[in-house]
Amino acid sequence: MEAIEVTMTMSNSFYGYSFIMTFFMLLLHAWSQLTPNFYDKTCPNLQNIVRNEVQKAFNKENRMAASLLRLHFHDCFVNGCDGSVLLDVSGGEKFALSNLNSVRGFEVVDRIKSTVESACPGVVSCADILALVARDSVVITRGPSWTVLLGRRDGFVSISLNGTDAALPSAFDTLDAIISKFKRVGLDEKDVVSLSGSHTIGLARCAAFSNRLFNFENTGLPDSTMDPYLLYQLRKLCPEKGDQNRTTLLDQYTEGGGYINIFGNHYFQNLLNGKSVLSSDQVLLSSSKTSYWVQIYNDDNDLFFDDFADAIIRMGNISPPRGSRGQIRKNCRRVN
C-alpha cells in the first residue's frame, strides 16, 4: 500500500510539473510572437501618426523614403530588429564603415518617436517604429503594402564596428558573400533578389560604385558588365580623384529619366540591360540561383511586390527582443 501511495505521489508530481512546464512554454511562445494588433489598445492611433510623419518627411525631401527603408534593413541584419542602429554609441553600429556617412533619416525617426511619446508615453519601441516607417516609405513611393507585425522591444547594446560590417551585405561583396549573409539570418536566394529590388528607389554615393569605373578588381579596366553609356555618365560624375560623396540614382531606368521615387520592377530591367549602379546588384545575374528570379520579377511586377512584402515581413522577424531582453526607449538614440 505504501508503495502504491509513493508511486501515485510521484506520478501526480510529474504531471503537475509537466503542466507547469507546458504552460510556461506556451506563455514563452506567446511572448515571442509579433502581432499586427499589439498596440490596438495601448496606442490606437500609432499607425496614423507614423504615416503622417513619414509623409511630411517625404514632402520635405523625397529621397527620405529610401533612407528610412534602409534603416530597417540595416537594423535587422545586425543582431536582429532591435533598434540598435539608432543608438549613439561610440564604436557602435551607426559608425561602422557600412553605415558611416551612409545611413540617414535619424532626425525623422526622432521626430516620429517624439510625436508617438506625446500620444502614448513609454509604450512603442523604436524597433517597431522602424518597421512601420519602412512599410510606409514603400507605400508612399507606389510600392506594395503589407501588415506590419509589432511587439518588438529595443535592444540594450549596439554591435561593434567589425561585427556590423561582417553582418551587413556590402556593395562590394561577391554574390556568395551576400547569399551567406542572408542565410545567416534565415533568408534565401529568392529573398536576396526580391529585397535587393528595394534599390528601385534612392541614391548611391560615388564611394559605393567608383570601384567599377576605372580599375575593377585590379584589372586596370572598368567593369565590363556595365552599359557603356552609363559608364561614361558615371565617370563624369565620379572622376578618379573626385568627391566620393556625390550621388546618382540607384535606378538608372532611362525611359522616364530615372525613378528616384517610384517603387517598381524597372530595377530588374536595369540589371538585364547592364544599367545597375552597384556591383552587388549586377552580380545577381552571375548565378542561375538568382538570375532566374531577376527574369521572373522583370516580367511580373505583381509577383515582385508580393514576394518583396513576404520577404520584408520575415526579415522584420529576425530575433526581435521580447520581454526582459529589451526595453521601450524614451529616446531612440540611447538606452533608458
Side-chain angles (χ1 to χ4, degrees):
M1 186 69 175
E2 289 179 359
I4 294 174
E5 288 177 352
V6 169
T7 301
M8 290 179 66
T9 301
M10 291 177 63
S11 176
N12 290 338
S13 297
F14 172 78
Y15 284 116
Y17 174 77
S18 297
F19 175 79
I20 292 171
M21 286 303 297
T22 300
F23 175 78
F24 175 77
M25 292 304 292
L26 287 172
L27 187 60
L28 183 63
H29 178 72
W31 282 345
S32 68
Q33 297 302 300
L34 303 180
T35 172
N37 58 0
F38 188 82
Y39 298 110
D40 281 5
K41 293 183 178 180
T42 56
C43 195
N45 203 34
L46 170 64
Q47 301 211 27
N48 287 331
I49 293 172
V50 174
R51 188 179 303 114
N52 289 339
E53 292 298 323
V54 170
Q55 182 70 61
K56 289 178 187 177
F58 180 77
N59 292 345
K60 185 176 181 180
E61 182 193 4
N62 52 30
R63 178 189 178 189
M64 189 54 67
S67 299
L68 294 174
L69 173 60
R70 192 161 179 253
L71 275 177
H72 186 43
F73 278 79
H74 281 231
D75 183 42
C76 290
F77 265 81
V78 182
N79 204 38
C81 307
D82 62 353
S84 55
V85 72
L86 303 172
L87 289 171
D88 285 338
V89 177
S90 178
E93 294 170 39
K94 187 181 288 188
F95 305 101
L97 183 63
S98 302
N99 290 331
L100 191 62
N101 297 321
S102 178
V103 290
R104 57 196 300 277
F106 300 109
E107 294 79 8
V108 175
V109 176
D110 290 341
R111 286 195 293 273
I112 294 172
K113 176 63 171 174
S114 177
T115 306
V116 170
E117 282 293 305
S118 295
C120 319
V123 171
V124 181
S125 69
C126 301
D128 276 345
I129 287 174
L130 288 183
L132 287 168
V133 299
R135 189 271 312 275
D136 293 342
S137 295
V138 171
V139 170
I140 210 169
T141 52
R142 308 185 203 177
S145 185
W146 60 90
T147 299
V148 178
L149 302 179
L150 301 166
R152 302 165 190 82
R153 291 175 74 81
D154 296 319
F156 296 111
V157 299
S158 184
I159 300 301
S160 68
L161 304 180
N162 291 339
T164 299
D165 289 328
L168 285 171
S170 162
F172 311 107
D173 277 346
T174 64
L175 180 58
D176 285 344
I178 294 169
I179 291 172
S180 175
K181 290 177 180 180
F182 270 69
K183 287 189 173 180
R184 198 179 300 161
V185 294
L187 302 172
D188 61 19
E189 290 88 350
K190 180 181 175 183
D191 301 319
V192 169
V193 180
S194 61
L195 291 175
S196 293
S198 63
H199 289 167
T200 185
I201 57 174
L203 302 174
R205 295 186 304 142
C206 293
F209 59 83
S210 58
N211 66 306
R212 304 183 69 195
L213 306 182
F214 302 99
N215 184 26
F216 185 60
E217 297 182 344
N218 296 315
T219 61
L221 299 170
D223 186 347
S224 61
T225 65
M226 184 178 285
D227 172 78
Y229 184 69
L230 176 61
L231 175 63
Y232 167 73
Q233 294 283 64
L234 294 181
R235 277 180 157 181
K236 284 201 306 181
L237 176 71
C238 310
E240 286 191 85
K241 296 183 179 180
D243 181 0
Q244 292 295 293
N245 287 315
R246 298 185 73 182
T247 59
T248 188
L249 293 171
L250 273 169
D251 190 338
Q252 293 284 324
Y253 186 67
T254 55
E255 183 177 327
Y259 282 113
I260 185 174
N261 296 322
I262 300 179
F263 196 102
N265 68 340
H266 26 82
Y267 163 84
F268 301 103
Q269 184 171 335
N270 289 340
L271 298 187
L272 294 170
N273 292 335
K275 293 181 179 179
S276 62
V277 173
L278 304 179
S279 61
S280 56
D281 287 335
Q282 196 64 45
V283 294
L284 296 180
L285 293 180
S286 65
S287 168
S288 59
K289 293 179 181 179
T290 48
S291 62
Y292 170 80
W293 290 107
V294 171
Q295 186 64 64
I296 290 292
Y297 294 147
N298 179 69
D299 297 338
D300 193 334
N301 190 62
D302 290 340
L303 181 62
F304 164 51
F305 277 18
D306 289 343
D307 287 352
F308 178 88
D310 175 70
I312 202 168
I313 289 171
R314 285 184 289 109
M315 186 196 77
N317 202 30
I318 298 171
S319 303
R322 303 283 290 142
S324 62
R325 290 178 52 230
Q327 63 177 195
I328 305 299
R329 286 186 216 138
K330 297 176 183 177
N331 182 328
C332 291
R333 292 176 181 262
R334 56 179 180 266
V335 297
N336 295 341

